Each structure stands twice: as C-alpha cells, then as structure tokens.
Amino acid sequence: MDMLLQLWGGSFYLINKMLFSFAEGAGDAVARQLKLWGWAIYILGVPAWVTILILKHNWIAASIEAGGVPAMVLGLLRVYQGSGKNHGVLDGVATVSTYGFMILGVGFSLYDYHGLTSVSQALEMGVMVGFLLGSYLLAKEMHVGWLFFMLMNASMGTLMLLQDKPILALQQGGSLCFVVYGFVGAVRRNAGGDCEVIVD
C-alpha cells in the first residue's frame, strides 16, 4: 500500500510540475491546456500525499496539502474561465483555508511532539511556506510562486529521504528541476518586469 501511495502521489505531482513548466514556454492556447491539466492532476494527487504524511505524523505538511486544495481549484478556474474573471468568493475561501489549515497543522504538530522538537517539523515548516505561497501565487499567475515551490521541493525531498520514502524523495528532486525550468521560462516571458507581473 505504501508503495502504491508513493507512486500515485509522486507521479501526479511530478506530472503537475512538468506541465506547469512546459506551459511557461508555450503559446497561449497550448499553455492554457497544459495549465488546465496541470491543476487537475495536482488536485488528484492530494489524497495520496495527505495519507502518506498523516501516517508519518507529518501534521503540518498533511494539513497544508489539504488546505491548499481551494487554491488549486482557484488556479484551475482562473485558467478555465480566464484570469480576468472575478473569483472573489473562492479567493476568500482559498485564503481562509490556507491560513486555517496552517494554524491547525502547526498547532496539532506542537501538541503531538510537545513543542518544536524535531528536524522533521523544521522541514515541514519549509514545505508549508513553499507549498501554500507557491500554490496561491501560481493560482494568481504570479511567477514568483516558482521560488516558493523550490523551497517546498527541497524541504519535502529532504523530509522524504529522512523518512525512508525513496520514490517521493526522487520525485521531489525531479520536480525541483522542472520548477527551476518553469521559473526561468516565466522570467524570460516577463523580461523587464518585476517578480509580481501577471503571466499571460
């Protein structure tokens, strides 16, 4: 079961990063299709990751994976309906979910571990910041989100390596390569702008 979950979660998240990174160098129509598939696959990979993380008592990382789903749905809708469409309610839900789950995960981790006492918790903090801000910023098509994904991949890869999840550690390394590729592509597309320029 563990191997199946690793293959499911790892492959879906890797495919997501591949599609997002390739979208940065594609024309508008192709980029839109790649992003649609990327967001959908991202969402479908969440259950495997949440299960793996809960089984390892990685409460912070598990809660942010679950809490990031509204931001993923927001990203999917923004691409599907166009970035000019007002998604005020869903944007609010994504924000509340992001911070609510973050507080819940950190609180339960501190309770379970009797404080901030382990290396895994420190790595989970890196995952938390990288995942939530990366997902949120990319959902808003702001390419600075790629930088937070780099932090997330480095932190999660190290955590999975320490917890004997070799498939997921390799997947995170592969994802990091595509994240760097995506960031470089986004910067090239927005040459001359600052890091908070809207992509597309």
Side-chain angles (χ1 to χ4, degrees), residues 3 7 43 60 66 88 96 100 107-108 116 134 162 174 182 194:
M3 190 64 67
L7 289 170
I43 293 166
I60 300 170
V96 169
F108 196 74
L116 192 59
L162 291 175
D194 64 52

Side-chain angles (χ1 to χ4, degrees), residues 70-93:
M72 296 177 194
V73 173
L74 175 63
L76 183 65
L77 284 177
R78 284 181 62 87
V79 174
Y80 182 73
Q81 296 177 338
S83 59
K85 176 88 173 167
N86 186 347
H87 298 98
V89 173
L90 184 56
D91 198 0
V93 169

Side-chain angles (χ1 to χ4, degrees), residues 22-179:
F22 294 152
E24 294 295 351
D28 289 345
V30 174
R32 180 176 181 272
Q33 289 301 314
L34 290 171
K35 288 179 183 179
L36 282 173
W37 280 105
W39 282 116
I41 287 170
Y42 205 2
I43 293 166
L44 292 173
V46 171
W49 272 100
V50 170
T51 303
I52 288 166
L53 294 167
I54 286 174
L55 290 174
K56 282 297 201 176
H57 288 226
N58 295 321
W59 305 113
I60 300 170
S63 66
I64 60 169
E65 292 284 351
V69 171
M72 296 177 194
V73 173
L74 175 63
L76 183 65
L77 284 177
R78 284 181 62 87
V79 174
Y80 182 73
Q81 296 177 338
S83 59
K85 176 88 173 167
N86 186 347
H87 298 98
V89 173
L90 184 56
D91 198 0
V93 169
T95 302
V96 169
S97 175
T98 295
Y99 291 110
F101 272 86
M102 181 174 66
I103 291 166
L104 182 67
V106 171
F108 196 74
S109 181
L110 293 174
Y111 170 79
D112 190 34
Y113 286 89
H114 306 290
L116 192 59
T117 59
S118 71
V119 172
S120 69
Q121 287 174 296
L123 291 169
E124 286 183 85
M125 293 289 191
V127 173
M128 176 180 69
V129 172
F131 178 80
L132 292 177
L133 289 178
S135 296
Y136 185 76
L137 292 168
L138 287 181
K140 289 181 158 292
E141 300 185 44
M142 298 166 68
H143 69 257
V144 70
W146 288 110
L147 295 175
F148 288 99
F149 270 5
M150 290 179 199
L151 171 63
M152 174 193 70
N153 288 133
S155 299
M156 185 67 90
T158 305
L159 179 62
M160 292 297 100
L161 197 59
L162 291 175
Q163 295 186 341
D164 298 319
K165 303 288 183 194
I167 292 173
L168 295 179
L170 284 172
Q171 175 266 319
Q172 289 295 314
S175 288
L176 182 58
C177 295
F178 285 104
V179 166

Side-chain angles (χ1 to χ4, degrees), residues 2-16:
D2 179 70
M3 190 64 67
L4 177 62
L5 288 169
Q6 285 192 64
L7 289 170
W8 171 11
S11 62
F12 275 50
Y13 273 32
L14 181 58
I15 291 167
N16 158 263

